[in-house]
Amino acid sequence: MQILDGAGVSEQILQGIRVETAGLLQQGNRAPHLAAILVGDNPASQVYVGSKVRTCESLGFSSTLLRLPADVPEEKLLEAVRGLNEDARVDGILVQLPLPKHISEAVIIHAIDPRKDVDGFHPVSQGKMLLSEPTFLPATPYGILLLLQHYGISPAGMHAVVIGRSHIVGTPMSVLLSRNAASGNATVTLTHSRTKDLKALCLQADLIVAAIGQPRFLKEDMVREGAIVIDVGINRIPDATRKSGSRLVGDVDFDSVAPKCSWITPVPKGVGPMTICGLMKNTLQAWKQAQSKPE
Ligand code: GUN
């Protein structure tokens, strides 16, 4: 069994972006600029957004963090998004999900200018992805493809089973793995809560992507010898042996599953850092496109 080291690979890719950004700044360009909107005080979202903003700083990017209260009216959030759309100094916009129940995620995502949609969640970005046109890919599936590429793992011809059909991970992951493109060409089964006999499907898989948000869901008896397992889950569970009283686990029961795998991602330091890497690559790309097509 070998570890797919997301933290290490991410740092290598980020270092490339850092060097490229330093060169751009030296030539007198303004820095790529990511604006993040965080609504409410969901602790996990605060951690994720904090980490994205810190990464921007470490790369020489500019960043803006807009914090809005949990009870902000949808219209006010829309105004904030429109303001960032119109701000020529902002290259990328991300609205951290989930949003409070009274706000429609679809309405907010639709409002983001697709040219600044570095999360790749806008219908224009998702449609282009479906058609294999150049676009911003959603950061987590993009990061997973970068990780597989780094290790020279081609999904071509593999049977890939994706568990979970969310708009931000499972569904785009299934599209990207099945596309006729480098890092695609797999035969994909997209599974979900209504799937019959998930275990039998997983046992046929060469590659499993677990993205369901249930701690240690994927067990040893669901994975065949030699499979590649990608764990997208970040779940906090109680752990009395830790000072904090809790720890992070993935959607995969790592200790029992890992010995059967050819490759597996750990949690933490697996997919999480690769998601940030995907986002930063998209932000740099948005900056480049803004330079070549000034408004
Ligand atoms: N919530 C969970 N993952 C993501 C992500 O990749 N982007 C945003 N904006 N929100 C998320």
Side-chain angles (χ1 to χ4, degrees):
M1 178 272 293
Q2 287 176 282
I3 293 285
L4 293 160
D5 173 18
V9 172
S10 169
E11 193 37 52
Q12 273 186 41
I13 296 175
L14 291 178
Q15 182 54 21
I17 299 177
R18 197 171 283 128
V19 169
E20 188 175 349
T21 305
L24 297 172
L25 296 180
Q26 223 161 30
Q27 290 160 20
N29 294 292
R30 70 165 176 80
H33 184 170
L34 176 67
I37 302 182
L38 176 60
V39 182
D41 42 22
N42 178 317
S45 290
Q46 294 192 49
V47 170
Y48 300 149
V49 171
S51 163
K52 292 169 187 179
V53 168
R54 272 197 310 282
T55 305
C56 281
E57 285 161 8
S58 91
L59 297 179
F61 287 10
S62 304
S63 63
T64 300
L65 173 56
L66 226 68
R67 299 190 69 134
L68 297 169
D71 62 354
V72 67
E74 186 175 278
E75 191 51 41
K76 277 261 175 287
L77 177 54
L78 274 174
E79 271 171 33
V81 170
R82 291 186 191 123
L84 295 171
N85 283 344
E86 281 158 23
D87 188 339
R89 294 160 304 175
V90 170
D91 301 295
I93 301 170
L94 82 83
V95 180
Q96 188 65 27
L97 305 179
L99 291 170
K101 293 267 175 297
H102 68 280
I103 298 177
S104 159
E105 289 184 353
V107 165
I108 301 304
I109 288 167
H110 281 233
I112 296 172
D113 183 335
R115 290 170 297 185
K116 300 189 178 189
D117 176 37
V118 288
D119 256 334
F121 294 167
H122 192 283
V124 166
S125 307
Q126 298 240 357
K128 286 183 176 175
M129 175 188 70
L130 209 55
L131 298 169
S132 295
E133 292 178 20
T135 188
F136 300 116
L137 300 179
T140 299
Y142 185 22
I144 292 170
L145 296 188
L146 292 169
L147 187 61
L148 293 174
Q149 267 168 29
H150 176 90
Y151 285 95
I153 299 170
S154 166
M158 289 187 184
H159 179 206
V161 169
V162 178
I163 313 176
R165 58 180 158 186
S166 73
H167 291 157
I168 61 180
V169 184
T171 296
M173 190 78 253
S174 70
V175 169
L176 291 167
L177 285 170
S178 58
R179 293 200 303 185
N180 183 3
S183 69
N185 288 310
T187 302
V188 179
T189 304
L190 178 58
T191 69
H192 44 76
S193 54
R194 306 286 284 270
T195 295
K196 283 187 189 157
D197 208 352
L198 176 65
K199 181 175 163 182
L201 290 167
C202 287
L203 283 169
Q204 294 170 25
D206 304 301
L207 169 66
I208 299 177
V209 179
I212 28 180
Q214 287 187 40
R216 293 180 289 192
F217 173 86
L218 190 79
K219 305 280 191 228
E220 175 228 347
D221 65 348
M222 301 168 79
V223 178
R224 69 163 188 78
E225 280 298 327
I228 300 167
V229 172
I230 308 291
D231 189 351
V232 180
I234 305 179
N235 310 289
R236 190 162 286 285
I237 60 162
D239 183 347
T241 69
R242 299 286 173 102
K243 229 202 241 166
S244 63
S246 68
R247 74 187 157 106
L248 291 180
V249 295
D251 291 351
V252 176
D253 186 24
F254 185 89
D255 292 344
S256 73
V257 169
K260 294 184 92 172
C261 297
S262 55
W263 295 93
I264 186 167
T265 59
V267 174
K269 298 182 193 282
V271 171
M274 293 308 300
T275 294
I276 295 196
C277 199
L279 177 68
M280 297 300 143
K281 279 182 76 90
N282 281 343
T283 303
L284 182 58
Q285 183 62 26
W287 178 91
K288 287 179 182 170
Q289 288 167 196
Q291 306 311 298
S292 60
K293 282 183 230 152
E295 287 175 32

